[in-house]
């Protein structure tokens, strides 16, 4: 084929085994990329891939065509449009193309690129790298082998879709899955995800402060900050950075000042619990807390003044 040309291929039913499950996995990966970009938690599933990608599942969004493919009742037609040609290793793999080891290597690398861009003040580039890191790490944590291992270690709640009778994976598959996760530290994956979320939230706060940014776009960025910090706090309720950044986002949005106040109070409690004193070199966190407490007080005064004027007009 030459660039720009199209080609059509027909695959007989006996050659299409597994395609419906693969298509379901690809759709889920695509949806998870969109969810992470919006600051939402990806759909988390685990267990045998043939189970969670089952197109006959009542909760599946697969089309009628995929159901026909799964039953072997139809021919699969491909249309391929050649847009460009790239040399091997000259492009980033899609997450679904990567195995667990590749994801384990790519996640930290993408985060490191984000850190470098952040230090250089390149917020847009940093955002792209952190989103890539989160998508890869989330996908790794949801890999059947890794997810089932986490469940067995008690570090992940079993999925609602998990098989009750086999713990999520069939015994005959366990040996191969152990090979997948050999050398992969689930705790390291969790730690990387936590720091990537915090750094991603910091970048979104920076982007939301760019002059001239559309107000709706700003609010969307701030909502993503809240979502990312909330995910961090689920695993570490005393994360000082997560509490502060979520409070900042609530303050910037301006609708839920009581939530910002609660986060700042929780931050003070966390600082005390961790033995961080207001005196000495470690007082930077306290200075930030006091600064945002003053901003909260200012915003609360403005709200009271607006309410006073509003009620004055109503009853004056």
């Amino acid at each position: 084929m030459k660039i720009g040309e199209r080609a059509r291929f027909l695959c007989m039913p006996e050659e299409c085994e597994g395609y419906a499950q693969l298509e379901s996995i690809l759709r889920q990966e695509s949806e998870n990329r969109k969810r992470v970009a919006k600051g939402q938690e990806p759909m988390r599933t685990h267990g045998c891939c043939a189970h969670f990608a089952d197109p006959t599942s009542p909760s599946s969004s697969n089309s009628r065509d995929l159901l026909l493919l799964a039953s072997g009742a139809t021919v699969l037609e491909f249309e391929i449009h050649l847009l460009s040609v790239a040399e091997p290793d000259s492009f980033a793999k899609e997450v679904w193309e990567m195995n667990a080891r590749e994801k384990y290597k790519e996640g930290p690398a993408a985060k490191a690129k984000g850190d470098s861009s952040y230090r250089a003040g390149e917020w847009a580039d940093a955002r792209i790298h952190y989103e890539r890191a989160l998508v890869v790490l989330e996908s790794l944590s949801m890999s059947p082998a890794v997810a089932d291992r986490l469940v067995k270690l008690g570090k992940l709640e079993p999925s609602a879709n998990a098989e009750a009778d086999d713990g999520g994976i069939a015994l005959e598959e366990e040996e191969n899955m152990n090979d997948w996760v050999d050398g992969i530290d689930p705790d390291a994956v969790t730690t990387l995800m936590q720091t990537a979320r915090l750094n991603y939230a910091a970048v979104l706060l920076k982007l939301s402060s760019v002059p001239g940014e559309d107000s709706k776009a700003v609010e969307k960025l701030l909502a993503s900050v809240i979502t990312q910090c909330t995910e961090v706090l689920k695993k570490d309720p005393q994360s000082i950075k997560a509490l502060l950044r979520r409070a900042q986002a609530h303050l910037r949005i301006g609708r839920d000042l009581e939530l910002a106040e609660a986060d700042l109070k929780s931050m003070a409690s966390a600082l005390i619990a961790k033995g961080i004193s207001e005196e000495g070199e470690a007082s930077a966190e306290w200075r930030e807390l006091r600064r945002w407490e003053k901003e909260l007080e200012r915003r609360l005064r403005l709200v009271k003044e607006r309410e006073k004027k509003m009620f004055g007009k109503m009853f004056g």
Side-chain angles (χ1 to χ4, degrees):
M1 289 180 65
K2 297 180 180 179
I3 292 177
E5 290 184 340
R6 295 178 184 269
R8 296 172 66 189
F9 298 88
L10 293 179
C11 296
M12 295 299 103
E14 62 271 18
E15 298 171 339
C16 299
E17 183 178 354
Y19 179 81
Q21 288 79 8
L22 174 61
E23 174 68 10
S24 180
I25 292 171
L26 297 181
R27 292 187 185 192
Q28 181 177 325
E29 291 286 355
S30 177
E31 180 63 24
N32 280 341
R33 286 199 298 273
K34 295 176 183 177
R35 291 174 68 87
V36 169
K38 293 177 182 178
Q40 300 173 351
E41 184 179 7
M43 294 179 290
R44 185 177 291 276
T45 55
H46 65 86
C48 172
C49 61
H51 165 72
F52 87 82
D54 181 6
T56 63
S57 169
S59 60
S60 175
S61 61
N62 285 286
S63 67
R64 181 174 177 274
D65 289 341
L66 287 181
L67 293 173
L68 289 171
L69 276 173
S71 65
T74 188
V75 173
L76 175 63
E77 179 179 323
F78 283 102
E79 180 173 296
I80 299 175
H81 183 193
L82 184 60
L83 299 177
S84 63
V85 177
E87 295 294 327
D89 300 323
S90 65
F91 57 91
K93 283 186 176 181
E94 293 289 340
V95 175
W96 59 267
E97 297 178 292
M98 304 168 70
N99 60 36
R101 291 182 182 279
E102 289 174 323
K103 293 173 186 177
Y104 193 58
K105 181 179 179 181
E106 172 69 12
K111 178 187 171 295
K113 290 178 182 177
D115 293 343
S116 178
S117 295
Y118 184 88
R119 287 191 291 268
E122 298 167 349
W123 316 127
D125 287 344
R127 178 183 183 179
I128 292 171
H129 294 312
Y130 286 135
E131 286 177 354
R132 171 70 174 179
L134 285 172
V135 168
V136 170
L137 292 170
E138 281 285 356
S139 179
L140 176 60
S141 71
M142 292 186 295
S143 296
V146 176
D148 284 319
R149 180 66 61 85
L150 288 171
V151 169
K152 290 179 179 179
L153 294 174
K155 296 180 180 181
L156 178 67
E157 288 296 320
S159 168
N161 295 330
E163 300 266 9
D165 57 350
D166 66 5
I169 56 175
L171 294 177
E172 61 268 23
E173 295 173 340
E174 191 165 350
E175 183 177 353
N176 291 335
M177 288 187 171
N178 286 337
D179 291 340
W180 266 34
V181 296
D182 183 36
I184 295 178
D185 182 359
D187 288 331
V189 174
T190 299
T191 299
L192 277 168
M193 286 172 60
Q194 291 284 90
T195 54
R197 287 189 190 281
L198 287 171
N199 294 354
Y200 183 44
V203 166
L204 296 179
L205 282 172
K206 292 288 188 182
L207 289 171
S208 69
S209 301
V210 174
E213 189 67 65
D214 177 71
S215 60
K216 290 184 178 179
V218 167
E219 186 165 335
K220 185 177 179 180
L221 290 170
L222 295 172
S224 294
V225 172
I226 293 170
T227 300
Q228 295 298 330
C229 291
T230 299
E231 288 301 313
V232 171
L233 291 166
K234 287 179 181 179
K235 293 182 175 64
D236 181 9
Q238 291 190 326
S239 171
I240 292 169
K241 290 180 179 179
L243 289 166
L244 177 60
R245 288 167 190 171
R246 192 169 70 173
Q248 290 174 312
H250 281 307
L251 280 168
R252 293 275 307 282
I253 293 174
R255 284 195 298 270
D256 300 307
L257 296 180
E258 69 279 2
L259 296 179
E261 185 176 18
D263 279 342
L264 293 175
K265 288 181 178 178
S266 295
M267 180 180 170
S269 299
L271 288 169
I272 293 170
K274 294 182 179 184
I276 300 176
S277 171
E278 284 200 62
E279 305 297 330
E281 295 180 1
S283 64
E285 291 93 341
W286 281 102
R287 288 197 296 272
E288 277 293 289
L289 173 61
R290 299 308 180 201
R291 181 165 77 90
W292 287 99
E293 285 178 336
K294 289 180 180 178
E295 177 63 16
L296 174 63
E297 292 173 2
R298 186 184 73 83
R299 302 246 178 175
L300 288 172
R301 283 198 303 270
L302 290 174
V303 170
K304 289 181 179 178
E305 289 173 4
R306 285 198 298 267
E307 290 177 347
K308 185 177 180 180
K309 290 180 180 179
M310 181 178 68
F311 288 118
K313 291 179 180 179
M314 291 175 62
F315 303 105

